[in-house]
């Protein structure tokens, strides 16, 4: 920090930083320090304070040495006390691997949460092609959802335990959970003041005027906004949100073959979330239950999303390739 040097990671900023490997990558170590809440100004203040401390004189050094010898002799005369071994896990009851897992989840979520400027420019160009108001709205909404789906797929691939599943179950999980994960990520973009979901820049998602149109192709997003309000009231931090995402991903889905392994992974994420919530005494007593209750709402939104897909298709809207594959648009038709 004092030299103001910039470090670069050679492994895509995914190095494991713990007490054994912390010196292998300075870039990831610096990132983890900032994630933990360390501040550069605190380091500088400490250095200044150290520099201002008066140097020890020879007399003071001799006095300290004599005092330490006397303390050693006194200690031999005292009865021996059995001391408890030092804790082997981080504060809060988390095991070292759990502690490391949470920070990995937060890092990956923050890394894959925001779209690039190129992605935003591509979405903005869609409004120039469409002329009808609903077509503009639907094209931008689908493009933004497709972009979120891509980021969610990349996040899911980095979830501990996902790559250990067989390829068939990986695909089944991606198809089954992508819709719910998109809704969960949309809740992160909720604007309480205007009661809207700010997807990207000028594109907002609210109670659209088309939800009062013909019932055959109605778009009812009241449930989604109510879900966003509920998530906003819970005030989830990045760690809770990323662990909840893991619980959603490893839910029971159709076409999964190794259901026992998927259930084990979901239980592991729930236990990790329970320990993390228990570390914060300021959280309400029912905070964990309120978080897990969101799973029921997400299942209902998953069913609603299927009806929206049909609605868009009936209006002749084209789906991006990734969304078409994840949501099996051809089967819904």
């Amino acid at each position: 920090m004092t030299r103001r040097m910039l470090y670069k990671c050679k492994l895509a900023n995914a190095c494991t930083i713990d007490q054994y490997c912390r010196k292998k990558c300075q870039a990831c170590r610096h990132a983890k320090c900032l994630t933990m809440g360390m501040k550069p100004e605190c380091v500088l203040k400490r250095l200044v304070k150290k520099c201002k401390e008066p140097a020890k004189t020879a007399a003071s050094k001799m006095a300290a040495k004599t005092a330490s010898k006397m303390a050693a002799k006194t200690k031999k005369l005292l009865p021996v006390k059995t001391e408890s071994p030092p804790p082997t896990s981080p504060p809060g009851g988390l095991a070292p691997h759990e502690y490391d897992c949470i920070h990995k989840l937060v890092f990956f979520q923050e890394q894959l949460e925001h779209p690039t400027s190129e992605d935003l420019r591509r979405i903005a160009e869609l409004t120039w092609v469409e002329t009808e108001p609903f077509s503009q709205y639907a094209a931008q909404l689908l493009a933004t959802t497709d972009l979120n789906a891509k980021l969610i797929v990349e996040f899911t691939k980095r979830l501990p335990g996902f790559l250990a599943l067989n390829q068939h179950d990986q695909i089944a999980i991606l198809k089954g959970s992508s819709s719910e994960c998109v809704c969960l990520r949309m809740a992160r973009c909720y604007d309480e003041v205007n009661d809207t979901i700010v997807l990207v820049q000028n594109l907002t998602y609210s109670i659209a005027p088309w939800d009062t149109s013909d019932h055959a192709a109605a778009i009812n997003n009241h449930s989604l906004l109510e879900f966003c309000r509920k998530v906003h009231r819970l005030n989830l931090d990045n760690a809770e949100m990323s662990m909840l995402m893991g619980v959603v991903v490893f839910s029971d889905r159709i076409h999964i073959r190794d259901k026992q392994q998927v259930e084990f992974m979901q239980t592991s994420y729930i236990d990790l979330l329970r320990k993390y919530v228990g570390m914060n005494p300021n959280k309400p007593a029912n905070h964990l239950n309120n978080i897990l209750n969101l799973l029921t709402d997400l299942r209902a939104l998953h069913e609603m999303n299927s009806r929206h897909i049909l609605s868009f298709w009936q209006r002749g809207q084209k789906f991006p390739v990734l969304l078409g594959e994840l949501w099996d648009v051809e089967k819904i038709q």
Side-chain angles (χ1 to χ4, degrees):
M1 295 308 303
T2 55
R3 297 186 212 170
R4 300 183 181 276
M5 298 180 66
L6 298 177
Y7 300 104
K8 293 183 179 180
C9 178
K10 298 179 180 180
L11 299 176
N13 298 317
C15 299
T16 299
I17 303 297
D18 53 25
Q19 58 181 335
Y20 307 106
C21 305
R22 63 183 184 272
K23 295 183 179 180
K24 290 186 177 181
C25 180
Q26 291 171 300
C28 291
R29 184 181 182 182
H30 179 228
K32 185 170 183 178
C33 287
L34 297 179
T35 303
M36 289 294 296
M38 295 183 179
K39 298 183 180 299
E41 53 268 24
C42 296
V43 177
L44 295 176
K45 288 179 181 178
R46 191 172 181 179
L47 289 173
V48 173
K49 182 179 179 181
K50 187 176 181 181
C51 294
K52 290 183 178 179
E53 291 180 355
K56 292 184 178 180
T57 62
S60 62
K61 289 182 180 179
M62 183 62 69
K65 188 175 182 180
T66 304
S68 63
K69 288 183 178 180
M70 292 296 295
K73 290 182 180 180
T74 306
K75 187 176 181 181
K76 291 182 180 180
L77 300 177
L78 295 176
V80 180
K81 294 182 180 180
T82 57
E83 297 181 358
S84 58
T88 57
S89 61
L94 289 175
H97 70 278
E98 295 173 327
Y99 188 76
D100 187 54
C101 179
I102 292 176
H103 286 285
K104 281 185 177 180
L105 292 174
V106 173
F107 175 77
F108 292 142
Q109 176 177 302
E110 293 177 348
Q111 188 183 41
L112 299 168
E113 187 171 17
H114 303 290
T116 63
S117 56
E118 178 64 22
D119 293 326
L120 298 179
R121 184 189 61 80
R122 195 181 307 112
I123 293 175
E125 291 177 351
L126 295 174
T127 57
W128 305 339
V129 179
E130 302 291 344
T131 57
E132 183 184 357
F134 176 81
S135 298
Q136 292 179 353
Y137 174 84
Q140 281 192 320
L141 180 60
L142 288 175
T144 306
T145 306
D146 181 64
L147 175 58
N148 280 327
K150 290 178 182 177
L151 296 175
I152 288 170
V153 169
E154 291 301 318
F155 175 79
T156 302
K157 290 179 179 179
R158 289 166 171 77
L159 283 175
F162 179 78
L163 296 180
L165 300 174
N166 61 75
Q167 188 175 9
H168 179 275
D169 287 352
Q170 290 180 15
I171 296 175
I173 283 179
L174 286 173
K175 287 188 174 183
S177 66
S178 60
S179 173
E180 297 176 16
C181 289
V182 165
C183 293
L184 194 57
R185 178 161 294 204
M186 291 179 75
R188 297 267 290 178
C189 306
Y190 176 71
D191 180 10
E192 182 184 22
V193 177
N194 299 312
D195 195 29
T196 59
I197 304 171
V198 184
L199 298 176
V200 290
Q201 293 181 339
N202 297 327
L203 178 60
T204 59
Y205 188 77
S206 58
I207 303 298
W210 300 283
D211 64 359
T212 57
S213 59
D214 55 294
H215 297 286
I219 301 176
N220 188 343
N221 46 24
H222 291 269
S223 300
L224 177 58
L225 280 171
E226 180 56 35
F227 173 76
C228 292
R229 298 184 192 109
K230 184 181 296 187
V231 175
H232 181 76
R233 287 192 295 268
L234 288 178
N235 193 25
L236 303 180
D237 59 29
N238 288 343
E240 292 169 333
M241 182 62 71
S242 59
M243 283 184 279
L244 176 59
M245 196 80 76
V247 175
V248 173
V249 167
F250 291 103
S251 297
D252 186 24
R253 310 289 177 183
I254 59 175
H255 305 310
I256 289 180
R257 294 174 180 174
D258 194 351
K259 293 182 178 292
Q260 186 175 1
Q261 178 64 18
V262 174
E263 182 181 357
F264 171 78
M265 291 306 306
Q266 186 186 53
T267 303
S268 300
Y269 277 93
I270 293 176
D271 291 340
L272 185 61
L273 180 60
R274 179 182 294 109
K275 288 184 179 181
Y276 178 82
V277 171
M279 290 171 54
N280 192 342
N282 298 324
K283 295 288 185 180
N286 60 342
H287 185 63
L288 177 64
N289 291 333
N290 290 335
I291 295 177
L292 296 179
N293 286 339
L294 296 176
L295 299 177
T296 304
D297 299 324
L298 286 170
R299 282 301 173 99
L301 291 174
H302 177 79
E303 298 297 327
M304 184 192 71
N305 182 64
S306 299
R307 295 192 295 270
H308 284 182
I309 294 174
L310 178 61
S311 173
F312 281 141
W313 181 259
Q314 290 176 344
R315 293 173 180 261
Q317 200 66 40
K318 294 182 180 180
F319 281 77
V321 177
L322 179 62
L323 288 185
E325 295 177 354
L326 288 176
W327 295 349
D328 290 329
V329 175
E330 293 182 357
K331 295 182 180 179
I332 295 180
Q333 300 167 22

